[in-house]
Amino acid sequence: KLVAGGLLWGRDAYLRNPWNYLDGAVVIASIVGMLPGASDGSGLKTLRVLRAFRPLRAISRFENLRIVVQTMFKSLPDLGTLVVVSFLFLWIFGLFFLSYLSGTFYSCPVGDNPDTPVALLKDAGGGFA
């Protein structure tokens, strides 16, 4: 495909299609991994992580799968907004209940006598009160 269409120039150039970037990265990582000396303790071992993207090469071949993946990527900004709103919602209720409980669970009774509380370690100087 690279030889037939060209690398950059031409109507059907290889790098004109963004899906081919992933294909090219996986192929280059595989070729670099096969070079002599790549199996020793060098930094080239980290390129083996890119082999995990091999199944994603099928996306560039199947149009329906490509549409699904593009739709998922286009929905990411909306999901980010949803996460921000959810955190704000939880933060508001967290502040409300922090104020509402106002230290109710600061200490807890332990043992036979429920009137003898166990304080926090930082208040007890490293031990129990």
Side-chain angles (χ1 to χ4, degrees):
K1 188 173 179 180
L2 177 68
V3 174
L7 181 65
L8 288 171
W9 298 279
R11 189 174 55 98
D12 296 327
Y14 186 75
L15 292 179
R16 292 220 181 219
N17 185 355
W19 288 101
N20 289 336
Y21 293 150
L22 178 65
D23 288 344
V26 170
V27 169
I28 289 172
S30 298
I31 290 173
V32 169
M34 291 188 297
L35 292 174
S39 62
D40 61 358
S42 67
L44 297 177
K45 282 187 174 185
T46 57
L47 290 177
R48 290 184 185 170
V49 173
L50 290 176
R51 290 184 188 172
F53 292 119
R54 280 183 181 168
L56 295 178
R57 291 181 66 195
I59 294 172
S60 64
R61 292 183 182 90
F62 301 111
E63 184 66 29
N64 290 337
L65 189 58
R66 188 182 312 164
I67 291 170
V68 169
V69 171
Q70 286 175 346
T71 304
M72 287 173 49
F73 282 133
K74 286 181 181 178
S75 69
L76 285 178
D78 295 332
L79 288 174
T81 304
L82 181 66
V83 167
V84 168
V85 169
S86 298
F87 278 127
L88 283 173
F89 184 76
L90 290 173
W91 183 61
I92 289 169
F93 276 99
L95 289 176
F96 172 74
F97 281 106
L98 184 69
S99 174
Y100 178 71
L101 294 174
S102 63
T104 302
F105 298 114
Y106 184 72
S107 63
C108 59
V110 174
D112 297 333
N113 188 0
D115 295 329
T116 307
V118 175
L120 297 175
L121 286 176
K122 69 177 179 78
D123 295 332
F128 290 105

